[in-house]
Amino acid sequence: MKVDDILTESNGWEAVRKWLDKLFGLTTDLPSKLKRVKQGFDEKTGEHVIYLEYRAKAPFQKALPKSAKVKAIPDNQRKKK
């Protein structure tokens, strides 16, 4: 894919997302996501900074289950025997 194709394409973000899929070898049927998280300006270097988040589901992997949090009871609320 050429840079001109991305710049002239009506949906350039879609092309970047597909390119990242190929780059990382995640060309499965599972959907991937690309979004701009934050944007700013670095005054020290004079550069625009854009933070992107790329998420892709890997095949044959699933999220780890979270264990339940145990709340500590403050000393003043414990029952005295």
Side-chain angles (χ1 to χ4, degrees), residues 36-73:
R36 181 175 25 194
V37 177
K38 166 170 103 166
Q39 182 174 344
F41 183 76
D42 188 352
E43 293 179 3
K44 291 179 184 177
T45 61
E47 298 171 328
H48 290 276
V49 181
I50 301 170
Y51 295 91
L52 300 175
E53 179 180 284
Y54 171 71
R55 291 180 172 253
K57 291 229 180 216
F60 310 113
Q61 292 182 347
K62 57 182 178 179
L64 298 174
K66 283 188 170 181
S67 59
K69 290 185 178 180
V70 178
K71 291 186 177 182
I73 301 172

Side-chain angles (χ1 to χ4, degrees), residues 72-80:
I73 301 172
D75 290 336
N76 61 356
Q77 291 183 1
R78 290 185 185 178
K79 292 181 181 179
K80 295 183 180 180

